[in-house]
Amino acid sequence: MNSIPEQNLDFRAEDEDGTIDIRKIILKLLDNWYLYLGAVLISLIIAYFYSKYTPPIYQISSKVLVNSSDKGGSPGAQSSALMDLGGIMGGKSSVDNEVEILRTRFLMEQVVRQMELNIVYQEQVGFKKREIYQTPIKLSITKALDTISQTLVTVDVTGSNTLKVSANDFEKEIRFNQEFSLKGVGVVKLMPTGLAKLGKGKFLIHVSSIDDRVAELQGKMTVGVTNKQVTIMDLGLSYPHPRKGEDILRAVINRYISSSLEEKNIIADSTTTFIQKRLSIISGELGDVEDKQERFKQNNKLTDMSEQSKLLVQSTSEFRNELAKAETQITVLSELEGYLKDENKNKRVFPASLLSSDMVFSGIMSQYNSLLIERDKRLLSDTEESPFIKNIDEQISGLRAGLLSNIQSSKNSYIITRDKLRSQLNQVEGRGEQVPQIEKDYLKLARNQQIKQELYIFLMQKAEETAISKTSNLAIAKTIDPPKSAIAPISPKQNTIYLIAIVIGLIIPTVFIILINLLNTTVSTKEDITSATITPIIGEINHNSSTDNLIVAHQGRSAISEQFRALRTNLSFYLKNPNQKVILLTSSASGEGKSFTAINLGNILALAGKKVLLMELDLRKPGLSAKLGVANITGFSNYTIDPSVKIQHITKPLAINPNMFIISSGPLPPNPAETIMSEHTDNLIAQLKEQFDYIIMDAPPVGIITDAQLLAKYADVTLYIVRQKVTQKNQLSIVDQLYRTNRMNNLGIVVNDIVPKDYGYGYGYGSYGENETKSTFMSLLKKFKG
C-alpha cells in the first residue's frame, strides 16, 4: 500500500517532470487577490496613522576638534580614557580615547542630572502627542525614592491654579506648589515656569530613573572619527525635539570640555596648596637662620673675614651649592613620601609640579591623579562599598605603591649623592684648620642659610611655574561645528513606511495561504488523490451551488449534468457484459455525497432509456429516500425479514423519470450487517438484475463499517466517493488498500463537490453552455494564463 506523503498541498506547483511551475504558483496566489487587496489597504491605513501620529525624529550633528598629535592611539596603550583625560603632566590623549570618553555613561549622567532630562513633558493635541521644551509646567521631585519607576503623570489644567493629576492608582485635584506623594517616584510638586502661556489643556509628564534615561540617550547618540587623518570627532544625536536635542548635545560637549579643564586645574590647585604650605615652613626656617647669622656677626663683631676664610668659602661654594640642591631634593621627596603615607591625604590629588622629569614616574602620577578625580566624581552617586569604587581603590593602591617605590628609589639616590658631597666638603673644610674658630662657626651658619635659601627659591620657582601653567591651561578639545538639527526629520520616512506597509500587506496573505495549505488535512487537489493511491479516477463532479439535489433532472445543460454524462460514458468501459448491472457507491465517511451521486447518476442513465433502480442500503443512516421525497415505510429490511413481502411491494417508481425506481431501506433493523447477509438478499439481487438495466446501491461508508464490503460481492463496479475539502487525506489509504487487494470489483474514484480553481483543472472550467458573469479581474487573469 502506498504511504501518504507528508505534504500533499494545494500549493504544490510541480509539473510531471519535477520542474516548478512559477506561473501556476502565481495564479494560485492571485486567486486570493481579495485577501491581498484587503491586507494592503489595511497596512496602508495603519501606515498612514503611524506616520501621522508618530513624533518625528531629527538628527542633530556637531564636530569637535581634539588638540592632539596622536590620532590613532597605539594598540598597546594600557591607560584608560579616564586616565588620559587628566594627563596634563606627561600624559597624552588620542582621538580614539576621547571618543570613548564622550561615550562614557558618567558624562551623559552629568548632563541628565544637570538638565533634568529624566522628566519629559508632552502635550496632548487630539490623538497626537508631541514633546515640549519650554513647558509651562514643571515637575519638581523634592524627595525622590531610591529607585524611580517609569511613571506617566497626566495633568489636566482645569483652572488658573487648579490641576487634576492622575498617575497609576493616583488621582487628585491639587494646586501649584502643593506637595504630594507619587507612587514609584516620591514626593513631588508642580510649579508654573512662566516660560509659556498656561491655558486649559492636557499635559503628559514621563518620569523615569536617571539610569534608564542615560541608557536611552546613550543609545541615541553616536560618536566617531570619520577621517583618521584628522583629529576631528563627529557627534550625532537623534531626538524628537530639534532645539532640545541641540541643547542636549551642546551640554554633553561643554561638559566634556569643562571636565578636561577641571581636572587640569584640580592638579594645579593641589600643587599650589602643597607648595604654599612648604613655603610657609621654609620661610620661617630661613628667617630663623638669617637671624642667627645676623646675631652671630653682631655678637662677635665679625665685619669681615680673613683672606684665608674667603679663599676657603670660595673653594667650597661649588660643593655647598650641589649639597644644597641634594638636600632640597631629599626634603621634597621626604615630604612627598609622607604625603602618600598619610592616611588622611592619600586620597588627595598628587602635587604634579614637584615631580621628577622621569617619564615613567610622570605616567604613573597622571594615572594616579585621574583615578583620584574619577573616584571623587563617582562618590557623588555611589557609596564607598560600591564595587566600582572598590575597584578604583585597588587601582589607586597599586599606583600609590609604584609612586612610593619610585620616590624612595630617587630619595636613596639623592641621599648617596648628599653623603658624597658632605664627605668632599668636609675634606675641603678640613684644610682650613688655621681658620679662627669664630669664622668656622660662621661658615656653618652660612652653609645652613644657603641650603634653606636654595630650597625656598626652588619652591618659589615651582609656585610660579604652577600659576603660569594654570592660567595657560587649554581644553583638550574645542567645538568647530556647533550642534545643529537637520531641517527634515530622519523618521518616520513616509515613502519607506508605505513601501514596508505594501510589502507586509503582500507577505501576510501569502504566509496565511501557505499556512492554511500546510495545516489542511483534507483532499484539495487532484494531486492529493493521485499521489496517495493508484486507484483510477473515473468521474469528477463540480460543486453544486444550489440546494437542488436533482441537478440532471432540472438543469440538464449544466456543467454538473455534463460531468454525470462523462461518468456514464466511463462506466460503459467497466460494464461491458450485459449481465454487469450493479453499481455500488461507498465512501470513507458520511456526508461525502453518495446519495447525491446515486440520484443524478441514476437519472442520467434513465435519460439514456435505461431502466434504473436505486437501492437505499445504508440501513444505519438512510438519506436517499428523504432526498427523493419517498416514504420509507416498506423497504429492503421488510423483504429480508418477512417472506410475505414481494419485490413489487418494495419497488417504488420515481416521479423524476419514468425509468427510475427505488427500494428504500425500510425500518431500521437492530442488526444491519446481519440483515444485509440475509439469505434472501441473493435472491433479491438476482431477480432485480432480470428486471432492471442498472442497479445502483447506496451503501454505508466503507471507512466506518463493513456493510459496503458485504455488498461488494454483488457489485460489478464500485464507485468510491471522495469529496473535496471533506475527505481526509489519510482516508485515501482505505481505497488504495481495497484496490490493491481487489476486495471490490472494478473500483474507481468519483471526486465530488469540486471547486475547479482549487482542484487543479484550471480557471473557468465547466462553464460550457452556461451564462456566466465574469469580473474584469478574472478576465484579465484568464488572458494572463494564456
Side-chain angles (χ1 to χ4, degrees):
M1 181 175 65
N2 288 351
S3 61
I4 300 176
E6 291 183 1
Q7 292 183 351
N8 287 330
L9 303 178
D10 186 26
F11 229 73
R12 193 171 49 228
E14 291 187 358
D15 294 336
E16 293 179 357
D17 58 357
T19 59
I20 297 176
D21 189 347
I22 301 298
R23 190 180 71 166
K24 190 174 182 180
I25 293 175
I26 293 174
L27 288 173
K28 286 183 177 181
L29 291 175
L30 289 179
D31 187 57
N32 295 281
W33 60 270
Y34 52 90
L35 291 179
Y36 287 96
L37 180 61
V40 169
L41 287 176
I42 292 173
S43 298
L44 288 175
I45 292 171
I46 294 173
Y48 169 76
F49 284 104
Y50 174 80
S51 59
K52 182 177 179 63
Y53 293 108
T54 299
I57 303 296
Y58 295 85
Q59 181 66 28
I60 296 94
S61 304
S62 179
K63 291 182 181 293
V64 175
L65 174 66
V66 178
N67 300 319
S68 172
S69 59
D70 183 8
K71 302 179 188 65
S74 60
Q78 299 297 321
S79 59
S80 68
L82 290 172
M83 295 174 179
D84 288 334
L85 186 61
I88 173 180
M89 301 296 179
K92 290 186 177 180
S93 298
S94 70
V95 178
D96 292 339
N97 286 340
E98 300 310 311
V99 168
E100 293 304 317
I101 294 172
L102 279 164
R103 290 174 179 168
T104 54
R105 181 192 174 283
F106 180 67
L107 189 64
M108 182 61 75
E109 181 181 338
Q110 290 178 299
V111 174
V112 171
R113 291 183 183 276
Q114 172 190 335
M115 300 181 66
E116 296 183 349
L117 297 177
N118 63 315
I119 304 175
V120 178
Y121 302 88
Q122 288 183 327
E123 186 177 15
Q124 181 83 42
V125 181
F127 293 101
K128 194 170 184 178
K129 301 174 184 177
R130 62 182 183 89
E131 184 172 344
I132 50 178
Y133 190 20
Q134 301 292 345
T135 172
I137 298 175
K138 179 182 179 182
L139 178 75
S140 176
I141 304 176
T142 56
K143 187 178 180 181
L145 298 177
D146 292 338
T147 302
I148 296 179
S149 304
Q150 294 275 0
T151 304
L152 174 62
V153 182
T154 304
V155 180
D156 284 320
V157 181
T158 56
S160 59
N161 194 35
T162 308
L163 307 171
K164 184 179 180 181
V165 180
S166 59
N168 298 331
D169 299 331
F170 177 88
E171 186 171 350
K172 185 178 180 182
E173 279 197 1
I174 62 167
R175 296 183 177 274
F176 282 118
N177 298 312
Q178 176 185 341
E179 291 188 348
F180 59 96
S181 181
L182 200 59
K183 183 180 178 181
V185 179
V187 179
V188 301
K189 64 179 179 179
L190 291 167
M191 303 179 296
T193 61
L195 298 176
K197 185 178 179 181
L198 181 62
K200 290 187 177 181
K202 179 183 287 187
F203 296 91
L204 305 176
I205 305 176
H206 297 265
V207 184
S208 60
S209 65
I210 296 291
D211 292 341
D212 290 343
R213 188 59 170 160
V214 168
E216 179 186 352
L217 290 174
Q218 277 188 299
K220 294 180 178 180
M221 191 177 78
T222 59
V223 185
V225 181
T226 307
N227 187 355
K228 290 291 184 179
Q229 303 301 318
V230 296
T231 59
I232 295 177
M233 297 183 294
D234 296 303
L235 283 76
L237 179 67
S238 54
Y239 203 79
H241 196 291
R243 183 179 170 189
K244 186 175 181 179
E246 291 174 359
D247 288 349
I248 291 173
L249 191 58
R250 186 178 295 108
V252 170
I253 296 171
N254 291 339
R255 188 61 206 163
Y256 158 72
I257 293 174
S258 63
S259 293
S260 66
L261 281 175
E262 286 175 6
E263 293 186 9
K264 291 180 180 180
N265 291 336
I266 287 172
I267 296 173
D269 291 340
S270 174
T271 304
T272 301
T273 301
F274 178 84
I275 292 174
Q276 292 299 333
K277 289 182 179 179
R278 291 304 305 157
L279 277 174
S280 177
I281 296 172
I282 298 300
S283 176
E285 293 177 352
L286 180 59
D288 292 341
V289 172
E290 288 177 345
D291 289 342
K292 287 181 182 179
Q293 188 180 17
E294 183 66 28
R295 285 195 300 272
F296 184 87
K297 291 177 71 174
Q298 290 176 356
N299 293 337
N300 294 281
K301 298 181 180 179
L302 185 62
T303 57
D304 193 15
M305 298 176 63
S306 64
E307 290 296 328
Q308 185 178 10
S309 298
K310 289 180 180 180
L311 182 61
L312 182 61
V313 170
Q314 217 172 28
S315 61
T316 58
S317 61
E318 183 178 349
F319 291 108
R320 286 201 303 270
N321 288 337
E322 294 296 327
L323 181 61
K325 291 179 181 179
E327 292 283 3
T328 300
Q329 292 295 332
I330 291 172
T331 302
V332 171
L333 291 171
S334 296
E335 291 291 337
L336 293 177
E337 183 181 11
Y339 188 88
L340 286 174
K341 290 181 177 180
D342 189 347
E343 290 295 330
N344 295 324
K345 298 179 180 178
N346 58 22
K347 291 293 192 301
R348 298 181 185 177
V349 176
F350 195 73
S353 299
L354 302 177
L355 300 177
S356 65
S357 59
D358 182 81
M359 293 303 295
V360 176
F361 194 55
S362 297
I364 297 175
M365 176 275 301
S366 280
Q367 297 179 20
Y368 181 79
N369 283 340
S370 294
L371 284 174
L372 286 175
I373 293 171
E374 173 65 11
R375 184 182 187 277
D376 290 340
K377 290 180 178 179
R378 284 289 176 181
L379 284 175
L380 295 175
S381 57
D382 298 333
T383 63
E384 294 278 357
E385 301 301 320
S386 169
F388 191 86
I389 297 296
K390 289 184 177 180
N391 182 43
I392 291 180
D393 287 342
E394 290 177 2
Q395 295 182 57
I396 290 173
S397 178
L399 291 174
R400 189 188 306 117
L403 287 173
L404 278 171
S405 176
N406 197 296
I407 287 174
Q408 289 168 354
S409 176
S410 299
K411 179 181 174 182
N412 292 335
S413 176
Y414 279 114
I415 289 174
I416 293 172
T417 302
R418 181 198 64 184
D419 293 343
K420 184 177 180 181
L421 289 171
R422 281 180 178 177
S423 175
Q424 292 174 344
L425 186 60
N426 289 334
Q427 289 178 7
V428 173
E429 290 177 344
R431 300 171 190 166
E433 293 294 336
Q434 295 82 9
V435 178
Q437 186 63 40
I438 293 175
E439 293 185 358
K440 286 182 181 180
D441 294 337
Y442 177 73
L443 289 174
K444 291 179 181 180
L445 286 172
R447 181 177 64 187
N448 194 17
Q449 183 268 342
Q450 187 174 4
I451 291 173
K452 297 294 183 182
Q453 185 174 341
E454 286 287 340
L455 180 58
Y456 184 80
I457 293 171
F458 172 79
L459 291 173
M460 287 293 293
Q461 181 182 357
K462 291 298 180 182
E464 288 299 318
E465 290 176 358
T466 303
I468 294 171
S469 174
K470 182 177 179 180
T471 58
S472 62
N473 278 345
L474 295 176
I476 198 168
K478 66 177 180 180
T479 305
I480 59 173
D481 191 3
K484 184 64 179 176
S485 170
I487 298 175
I490 59 173
S491 70
K493 294 182 178 179
Q494 290 190 354
N495 293 338
T496 303
I497 291 174
Y498 288 141
L499 179 60
I500 293 173
I502 292 173
V503 171
I504 292 175
L506 295 175
I507 289 176
I508 290 177
T510 302
V511 173
F512 175 77
I513 293 170
I514 292 173
L515 287 176
I516 289 296
N517 281 274
L518 288 174
L519 298 174
N520 181 28
T521 60
T522 61
V523 173
S524 297
T525 67
K526 187 173 184 178
E527 287 84 354
D528 290 340
I529 301 172
T530 57
S531 62
T533 178
I534 61 173
T535 308
I537 298 175
I538 63 175
E540 294 168 323
I541 311 300
N542 277 3
H543 170 71
N544 179 20
S545 57
S546 68
T547 58
D548 186 8
N549 290 312
L550 307 177
I551 294 294
V552 173
H554 298 156
Q555 302 178 39
R557 296 185 59 202
S558 67
I560 296 177
S561 297
E562 293 300 326
Q563 287 169 331
F564 275 106
R565 290 185 176 95
L567 176 59
R568 180 182 64 188
T569 302
N570 291 337
L571 286 174
S572 65
F573 293 101
Y574 286 87
L575 304 175
K576 296 180 180 179
N577 193 315
N579 292 325
Q580 294 177 324
K581 299 181 177 182
V582 181
I583 303 170
L584 176 66
L585 273 65
T586 186
S587 64
S588 302
S590 62
E592 293 179 314
K594 296 187 305 297
S595 299
F596 172 80
T597 305
I599 293 170
N600 288 282
L601 177 60
N603 197 1
I604 206 71
L605 290 171
L607 288 174
K610 303 297 181 181
K611 192 175 181 180
V612 181
L613 175 67
L614 303 181
M615 294 189 70
E616 187 179 36
L617 296 179
D618 189 347
L619 305 183
R620 302 171 191 268
K621 190 179 178 182
L624 184 62
S625 57
K627 287 181 173 63
L628 291 170
V630 176
N632 189 14
I633 300 173
T634 305
F636 176 78
S637 60
N638 300 97
Y639 181 85
T640 57
I641 297 171
D642 187 356
S644 63
V645 177
K646 305 302 179 183
I647 293 177
Q648 60 268 26
H649 296 155
I650 60 174
T651 304
K652 306 178 184 68
L654 292 174
I656 59 175
N657 193 296
N659 290 329
M660 288 185 68
F661 299 85
I662 185 173
I663 294 178
S664 62
S665 63
L668 300 183
N671 48 354
E674 286 72 16
T675 302
I676 292 174
M677 294 173 64
S678 170
E679 57 183 9
H680 302 291
T681 304
D682 292 344
N683 182 53
L684 174 65
I685 300 300
Q687 293 184 54
L688 291 174
K689 290 177 71 173
E690 293 177 358
Q691 299 178 25
F692 294 94
D693 295 319
Y694 290 101
I695 300 171
I696 300 175
M697 295 181 175
D698 183 14
V702 72
I704 301 175
I705 52 181
T706 62
D707 295 9
Q709 296 187 47
L710 296 175
L711 293 168
K713 66 179 182 178
Y714 304 111
D716 298 307
V717 63
T718 303
L719 301 182
Y720 194 97
I721 309 300
V722 172
R723 185 173 182 179
Q724 186 187 25
K725 297 183 179 178
V726 174
T727 303
Q728 297 293 316
K729 293 176 184 178
N730 58 5
Q731 291 176 336
L732 294 176
S733 61
I734 300 172
V735 64
D736 189 65
Q737 186 179 22
L738 293 172
Y739 183 81
R740 291 178 183 273
T741 57
N742 292 319
R743 294 184 186 177
M744 291 186 168
N745 296 326
N746 292 326
L747 181 62
I749 293 175
V750 174
V751 187
N752 182 37
D753 201 24
I754 293 173
V755 178
K757 59 185 176 59
D758 295 335
Y759 182 67
Y761 274 138
Y763 296 82
Y765 174 85
S767 61
Y768 180 75
E770 292 182 290
N771 295 325
E772 291 187 353
T773 302
K774 296 183 181 180
S775 66
T776 304
F777 180 81
M778 294 305 295
S779 299
L780 293 175
L781 189 62
K782 196 166 184 179
K783 287 182 180 180
F784 175 76
K785 182 187 173 186

